Amino acid sequence: MINLNPEQKAMVVSEGNLVVTACPGSGKTRALISKLSYELERIEDVKRKIIALTFTNRAAEEIQKRLDVMNIDMEKLWTGTIHAFCLEWILRPYALYIDRLKNGFTVLDEFRQEKILNGLKEQSNLPRYENIALKWSKEGSSKQNTPIKQYIANQYHNWLLENKCIDFDLILFLSYSLLQERPQISKSLSRLFKLICIDEYQDTSELQYGIIGSIVKTGNGETNIVMVGDPDQAIYDTLGGVAKSVEEISMEIGGLPVKHLKLSGNYRSSQRVIDFYKNFQLTNIKIQAIGKNANSKAVVTFNNSISESNLVETIAQIIKSNIRRGIPANEICVIAPQWWLLISMARSLKAMMPGIKFDAPGLSPLPKSYDNFWFKVARIFLTTPSPTLFISRRRWADDIINDLKSITGFTDIIINNEMLTSKILLDFCNLTSKTLKNEIDGLVYLDSCFNSLLKFVSINLLSHTLLNDHYSSFFKGIEERLARNGFDATDRLLHNFKSSFQQSNGVVVNTCQGVKGEEYETIIAFGLLQGYVPHASIRNPMQAEMSSKRLLYVIGSRAKTNLHLIAENRNNKNINKELSNVEFAYDDYL
């Protein structure tokens, strides 16, 4: 705790249940890592674990990487998203208690979900931009605001049932329902988990509160919670995220006491950048620059006169100017409020600046289906062994072995009279990759790798329904992504598949949601227009205003010293209202 300030140290050593409100750049992640490390060292019962829940898999992996270098017993820690947690600890172990899951199931990824819903909308003559609310309440309702939307939602859920699929919303609802019906499961989990840490708690939904609350409440104090976040960054409110008060969180865990702490002071940004995004703050949390960039001469620009046809060239000029000034490519981030705006932008920027690397994860042909068994296998075959990835790849290999045991029912997997270990598995994967070094087609490469692995472990794919379902879903997801607009034959190349797992060293192109929790020297945000910010589906004026402010707050707070805002002339849309109302002395840039 040498590098922690007094507020961060207080968070680390505090006992009991905690809610920690942290402003942007306050060292939240560093303090959370230290808290996890501190608590892991204090676990005496080898059977107990600490759970770290994050909003994204990317954030979970970052926490795991930071802890990997601290020489801590990782057997006592589990990290992942709330959906992965529910699958790992609730649905898969207790699937026999749920009729629709007991004979196996597949998790539908977001891309395939969108494709199915778009098809149903088209059949019903409903525009694609119309939102179908798929969130479930604790009571089991998922109501739509029009009969036609209700019909589409019913058809969608019928399709899931017929195809033995569940989506991310059903993962939460089924988990919550099971814990309510069988409290002994919550009791068992409370005995197992010493602490549950929740990052970005302001994005927690009612069902998520209910799931965690059931475990803590049933254990009557055997499990503690630590919730860290910033209510001003609650950009998933339209997806059900709720920034509950300390009192409301206490109620969720059965009235157990909860201590409230704060992390103040911004170590990330220039005060000028902070002064801009404070215009969108909804709480009274004080944000003061105290880091090395505090007094840096920041650049904050706003361009609302550029045409859509000149947008790519303008953003390219900003990127080139930053790189000429010595800013590394991976310290520059291009943001848009929606994915579809980024697809053509990333491709156009890459074509215009072939000498500059880009990191655009949403443009990979590989769907990020972290719960799919074959995605986990692909992650090993698509990464190159290196000292920096050694611990991560070993952990991935252990996950694969455990999943194989769970799917096949084998107690152990034997290879040449030896029990399969992570080392044996990694050695095999590395050797297989070498034998296929001349293969350039990503699909052919992965298919060859997977079949080699099945032969190595003596498993017949067709003999295991779940394994086969995951296999079909994985490759179908790739084919569907390759078939959509914006992809061409070159996207099948193996190096494009491998780019999904390479450490970022280029200009990042991502959504506001995708870069939440991250920081960059330069942020370039475009598409800041009504209908995009906030999303056109938000009709309530008050909700639209709050959603806009939170998105703009998140965008601005990612920047260290340079923030470029663009509201281009596109489809006769107006500038986002909350942005246009801000009075600020913007800089002239180009």
Side-chain angles (χ1 to χ4, degrees):
M1 294 190 289
I2 293 173
N3 296 319
L4 300 185
N5 65 31
E7 289 180 334
Q8 294 166 341
K9 288 179 181 178
M11 171 183 159
V12 172
V13 301
S14 289
E15 303 286 343
N17 302 302
L18 301 177
V19 170
V20 184
T21 304
C23 76
S26 59
K28 171 177 67 73
T29 303
R30 177 191 294 177
L32 183 59
I33 296 293
S34 298
K35 178 67 173 175
L36 291 170
S37 172
Y38 179 79
E39 297 292 349
L40 284 166
E41 291 286 0
R42 298 173 69 213
I43 292 181
E44 295 178 355
D45 187 341
V46 295
K47 294 181 180 179
R48 301 205 79 187
K49 287 184 177 290
I50 287 176
I51 302 297
L53 298 179
T54 61
F55 199 79
T56 65
N57 288 288
R58 187 167 174 169
E61 191 66 28
E62 180 61 27
I63 286 176
Q64 193 76 58
K65 283 180 181 177
R66 293 200 195 188
L67 286 168
D68 282 342
V69 300
M70 298 175 74
N71 197 29
I72 295 169
D73 183 6
M74 291 294 104
E75 291 296 318
K76 301 175 185 176
L77 176 72
W78 186 93
T79 62
T81 64
I82 182 68
H83 298 88
F85 170 81
C86 289
L87 286 169
E88 177 87 9
W89 297 102
I90 302 174
L91 293 187
R92 287 191 176 122
Y94 302 103
L96 72 161
Y97 295 120
I98 305 174
D99 286 341
R100 70 179 294 166
L101 304 185
K102 63 185 179 182
N103 294 319
F105 62 93
T106 301
V107 178
L108 191 72
D109 64 55
E110 291 172 322
F111 178 76
R112 289 190 66 206
Q113 179 189 64
E114 181 183 15
K115 187 170 187 280
I116 293 163
L117 284 172
N118 283 341
L120 291 171
K121 289 176 186 177
E122 188 175 332
Q123 291 174 17
S124 300
N125 295 318
L126 188 72
R128 287 192 175 191
Y129 62 78
E130 289 287 352
N131 184 49
I132 306 295
L134 299 174
K135 301 296 172 190
W136 292 85
S137 69
K138 289 180 178 179
E139 296 71 35
S141 63
S142 179
K143 294 182 179 178
Q144 309 299 318
N145 55 15
T146 66
I148 188 63
K149 288 185 179 181
Q150 190 64 56
Y151 172 77
I152 292 172
N154 292 341
Q155 291 294 100
Y156 167 75
H157 285 295
N158 287 339
W159 185 95
L160 291 180
L161 193 61
E162 291 170 4
N163 289 274
K164 294 200 299 185
C165 288
I166 60 174
D167 61 12
F168 290 111
D169 297 298
L170 271 170
I171 288 173
L172 298 180
F173 175 69
L174 293 173
S175 297
Y176 174 77
S177 300
L178 185 59
L179 294 183
Q180 300 311 299
E181 293 166 8
R182 298 183 178 271
Q184 65 270 30
I185 297 175
S186 292
K187 186 67 176 175
S188 297
L189 293 175
S190 69
R191 292 191 185 118
L192 181 59
F193 305 144
K194 179 178 183 293
L195 179 69
I196 300 176
C197 292
I198 302 170
D199 194 17
E200 308 286 6
Y201 80 86
Q202 73 277 359
D203 296 322
T204 304
S205 70
E206 288 287 357
L207 280 175
Q208 293 167 9
Y209 280 114
I211 291 163
I212 302 303
S214 295
I215 296 170
V216 178
K217 180 167 43 180
T218 308
N220 196 29
E222 286 191 87
T223 303
N224 287 134
I225 58 168
V226 173
M227 307 183 81
V228 188
D230 177 5
D232 281 320
Q233 297 187 58
I235 61 174
Y236 290 95
D237 53 332
T238 55
L239 298 179
V242 183
K244 293 203 171 189
S245 68
V246 175
E247 293 74 20
E248 289 172 324
I249 291 171
S250 175
M251 291 283 290
E252 288 285 354
I253 60 174
L256 292 169
V258 178
K259 186 187 296 185
H260 185 206
L261 300 177
K262 291 184 179 181
L263 298 182
S264 58
N266 184 300
Y267 292 91
R268 173 188 302 158
S269 304
S270 160
Q271 187 61 48
R272 178 164 166 75
V273 171
I274 293 172
D275 289 343
F276 169 75
Y277 70 72
K278 278 168 64 176
N279 284 287
F280 309 109
Q281 193 174 12
L282 295 170
T283 66
N284 60 358
I285 300 172
K286 184 179 179 180
I287 310 175
Q288 186 69 37
I290 58 176
K292 64 179 183 179
N293 294 318
N295 299 313
S296 297
K297 185 181 178 182
V299 174
V300 180
T301 69
F302 177 42
N303 189 332
N304 63 351
S305 61
I306 183 175
S307 66
E308 183 183 354
S309 60
N310 292 327
L311 180 62
V312 175
E313 184 178 351
T314 299
I315 292 177
Q317 288 176 356
I318 297 174
I319 292 170
K320 289 176 183 177
S321 175
N322 275 263
I323 291 175
R324 282 196 300 268
R325 289 162 48 212
I327 296 175
N330 63 355
E331 280 287 338
I332 303 171
C333 179
V334 179
I335 297 178
Q338 296 176 26
W339 263 122
W340 68 269
L341 290 167
L342 291 170
I343 295 174
S344 61
M345 174 58 67
R347 290 182 176 275
S348 299
L349 288 173
K350 288 169 70 174
M352 187 173 288
M353 297 180 286
I356 296 175
K357 291 185 177 180
F358 286 85
D359 175 21
L363 305 184
S364 166
L366 196 66
K368 292 291 182 74
S369 306
Y370 286 89
D371 300 310
N372 186 294
F373 173 80
W374 294 105
F375 175 85
K376 297 178 183 180
V377 175
R379 185 166 51 180
I380 288 182
F381 280 116
L382 293 173
T383 53
T384 304
S386 69
T388 56
L389 276 179
F390 173 73
I391 296 176
S392 294
R393 294 180 90 240
R394 187 177 65 185
R395 186 172 65 251
W396 300 340
D398 284 331
D399 286 344
I400 289 170
I401 294 170
N402 290 333
D403 280 0
L404 270 178
K405 291 178 183 177
S406 174
I407 291 170
T408 60
F410 298 155
T411 305
D412 288 307
I413 296 172
I414 307 300
I415 307 294
N416 297 327
N417 297 320
E418 283 189 78
M419 186 171 63
L420 181 62
T421 63
S422 58
K423 182 182 184 307
I424 293 173
L425 178 58
L426 287 173
D427 286 344
F428 168 78
C429 292
N430 296 341
L431 180 61
T432 302
S433 295
K434 287 181 180 178
T435 62
L436 294 169
K437 63 181 180 181
N438 295 324
E439 180 56 65
I440 62 171
D441 187 295
L443 283 171
V444 174
Y445 172 81
L446 286 178
D447 187 57
S448 300
C449 289
F450 293 173
N451 281 289
S452 296
L453 176 62
L454 288 168
K455 186 175 181 182
F456 180 67
V457 296
S458 302
I459 290 177
N460 183 344
L461 183 65
L462 298 180
S463 299
H464 300 279
T465 304
L466 183 58
L467 205 61
N468 192 34
D469 287 347
H470 278 223
Y471 186 91
S472 300
S473 177
F474 179 80
F475 281 106
K476 188 173 183 180
I478 295 176
E479 292 283 10
E480 288 175 347
R481 287 173 76 91
L482 288 171
R484 75 180 180 182
N485 290 335
F487 282 88
D488 54 40
T490 62
D491 289 296
R492 289 182 60 108
L493 298 178
L494 180 58
H495 71 84
N496 287 322
F497 282 66
K498 289 187 174 182
S499 66
S500 299
F501 301 109
Q502 290 173 352
Q503 187 172 1
S504 173
N505 60 358
V507 176
V508 175
V509 183
N510 212 324
T511 61
C512 312
Q513 292 82 359
V515 299
K516 193 156 172 277
E518 299 179 4
E519 57 183 41
Y520 301 89
E521 200 69 46
T522 298
I523 291 290
I524 307 165
F526 71 98
L528 304 180
L529 306 166
Q530 287 294 129
Y532 302 160
V533 180
H535 194 279
S537 62
I538 303 177
R539 306 288 174 80
N540 182 288
M542 185 175 294
Q543 187 182 10
E545 179 182 346
M546 291 180 65
S547 181
S548 288
K549 286 185 173 181
R550 286 169 173 159
L551 275 169
L552 292 167
Y553 180 88
V554 168
I555 290 170
S557 60
R558 301 310 95 202
K560 296 178 186 177
T561 58
N562 303 302
L563 178 60
H564 302 284
L565 307 163
I566 301 173
E568 67 274 16
N569 298 321
R570 182 194 294 264
N571 299 332
N572 296 316
K573 287 190 175 293
N574 295 321
I575 303 167
N576 168 265
K577 186 169 63 174
E578 283 63 47
L579 178 58
S580 66
N581 288 340
V582 170
E583 293 183 5
F584 191 81
Y586 295 108
D587 297 290
D588 294 325
Y589 190 65
L590 295 174

